[in-house]
């Protein structure tokens, strides 16, 4: 039986609005998600026994059943028990490039790659829609990571509406290796501080979520206007994360002062911060300037760009 190597891209948020509470305990969100070419590689091999094993080159990534990639394989083994018995176990090797605990959907995109890889390995013939439905049971970002590109995400983030894909935007991304921000903490703190502004009526929640479809940033995306996109970046979670994490705030402020930076924002619940820049050449210059300003080797810096796809087979 053949093996598969898959490219699993990270994602950033171009827009994140918290609208209100949902009956399931999550937040009702309106987001614009974007794939970038900073990616992990996931190698999937058949195993001789009915076991699931995860290997990773990054010491912070767990390899037990707490790993989302492991849980994705276990989900497939449960849902397609006959195929699991027929084809045997799975060996998963994660070659990590996406920073860990960065707000870039690193775990989610790994899980998405495992779903796609096992579908191929076991000849299941699942559609992207079917894979996304499975992925939604693992985490809100997994469905987007499967298809990737550019999309509006509503609900808790799993309801996707594709937008015209962006493949021309250059980005510099920064993240302190040792710094983590708890996503539940970020959302719970936002609820504590701003819950009084939440929309309570279910119909109004839906109307507010749908309003992003006609928003100014969507128009800029449709027109592929990089300057407008950069000017319309928005993330509600910055209101609670930036005051609590001065390193993240400093990164954002530093990016904003660099020539050639069109806009900057924290991605998701952080602590990654990205800047949209004018060109690939300018991105390298901005990366150098940030490194000169912050020589701390705990700070990881990446030059990347937007891409039009999610999980794909490695060339």
């Amino acid at each position: 039986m053949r093996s598969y190597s898959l490219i699993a891209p990270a994602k950033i948020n171009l827009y994140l609005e918290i609208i209100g509470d949902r009956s399931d305990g999550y937040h009702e969100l309106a987001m614009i998600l974007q794939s970038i070419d900073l990616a992990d590689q996931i190698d999937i091999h058949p195993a001789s026994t009915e076991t699931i094993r995860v290997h990773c080159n990054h010491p912070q990534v767990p390899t037990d059943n707490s790993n989302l990639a492991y849980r994705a394989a276990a989900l497939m083994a449960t849902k397609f028990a006959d195929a699991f018995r027929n084809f045997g176990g799975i060996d998963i090797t994660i070659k990590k490039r996406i920073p860990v605990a960065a707000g870039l959907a690193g775990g989610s995109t790994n899980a998405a790659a495992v779903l796609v890889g096992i579908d191929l390995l076991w000849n299941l013939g699942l559609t992207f829609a079917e894979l996304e439905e499975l992925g939604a049971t693992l985490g809100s970002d997994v469905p987007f990571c499967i298809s990737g590109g550019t999309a509006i995400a509503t609900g808790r983030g799993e309801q996707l509406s594709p937008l015209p894909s962006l493949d021309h935007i250059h980005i510099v991304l920064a993240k302190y290796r040792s710094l983590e921000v708890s996503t539940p903490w970020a959302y719970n703190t936002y609820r504590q501080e701003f819950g009084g502004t939440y929309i309570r009526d279910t119909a109004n929640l839906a109307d507010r979520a749908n309003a992003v479809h006609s928003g100014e940033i969507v128009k800029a995306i449709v027109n592929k206007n990089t300057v407008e996109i950069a000017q319309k970046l928005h993330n509600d979670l910055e209101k609670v994360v930036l005051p609590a994490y001065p390193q993240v705030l400093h990164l954002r402020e530093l990016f904003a002062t660099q020539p050639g930076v069109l806009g900057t924002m924290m991605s998701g619940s952080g602590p990654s911060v990205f800047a949209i820049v004018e060109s690939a050449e300018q991105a390298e210059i901005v990366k150098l300037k940030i490194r000169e300003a912050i020589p701390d080797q705990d700070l990881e810096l990446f030059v990347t760009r937007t891409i039009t796809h999610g999980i794909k087979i490695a060339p």
Side-chain angles (χ1 to χ4, degrees), residues 241-258:
V241 175
L242 296 184
Y245 291 86
Q247 285 174 295
V248 182
L249 175 60
H250 178 58
L251 271 178
R252 196 188 187 288
E253 291 175 339
L254 191 59
F255 269 131
T257 64
Q258 301 304 310

Side-chain angles (χ1 to χ4, degrees), residues 1-220:
M1 188 190 305
R2 67 174 299 181
S3 302
Y4 287 92
S5 292
L6 300 116
I7 303 301
K11 68 89 183 165
I12 57 173
N13 296 78
L14 300 176
Y15 185 91
L16 192 161
E17 180 183 1
I18 299 172
I19 299 171
D21 280 320
R22 293 162 50 93
S23 59
D24 59 9
Y26 288 93
H27 279 90
E28 185 73 26
L29 303 172
M31 301 185 291
I32 296 175
L33 308 179
Q34 175 62 54
S35 300
I36 57 176
D37 74 350
L38 178 63
D40 294 340
Q41 180 174 315
I42 312 298
D43 297 331
I44 297 181
H45 306 277
S48 57
T49 59
E50 288 188 10
T51 58
I52 298 167
R53 292 179 296 192
V54 176
H55 316 272
C56 185
N57 63 339
H58 196 297
Q60 287 181 259
V61 175
T63 56
D64 59 11
N65 60 7
S66 66
N67 187 298
L68 206 55
Y70 183 105
R71 289 168 53 197
L75 175 65
M76 295 294 274
T78 300
K79 291 287 186 181
F80 305 99
D82 289 343
F84 184 49
R85 284 190 294 270
N86 183 38
F87 290 104
I90 300 292
D91 273 339
I92 302 163
T93 300
I94 302 170
K95 297 175 182 176
K96 210 78 179 124
R97 281 194 69 233
I98 302 169
V100 175
L104 301 172
S108 294
T109 195
N110 292 170
V114 169
L115 295 179
V116 173
I118 292 178
D119 173 54
L120 294 169
L121 197 67
W122 292 352
N123 300 312
L124 298 174
L126 300 176
T127 64
F128 264 28
E130 290 170 326
L131 288 168
E132 288 170 5
E133 186 175 348
L134 287 168
T137 68
L138 296 168
S140 300
D141 284 335
V142 179
F144 171 76
C145 290
I146 290 170
S147 53
T150 312
I152 295 172
T154 53
R156 56 182 172 85
E158 84 289 3
Q159 299 170 20
L160 301 174
S161 300
L163 287 169
S165 291
L166 300 171
D167 61 355
H168 66 294
I169 296 180
H170 300 281
I171 290 167
V172 184
L173 188 144
K175 193 262 178 182
Y176 284 96
R177 286 186 183 89
S178 61
L179 186 62
E180 298 184 14
V181 176
S182 164
T183 298
W185 170 85
Y187 279 101
N188 288 335
T189 303
Y190 190 92
R191 180 185 281 117
Q192 292 166 12
E193 294 190 19
F194 301 102
T197 67
Y198 284 8
I199 294 175
R200 305 295 175 185
D201 180 76
T202 303
N204 285 337
L205 276 176
D207 288 344
R208 181 74 169 271
N210 287 331
V212 75
H213 288 259
S214 59
E216 293 182 3
I217 190 169
V218 174
K219 294 176 185 176

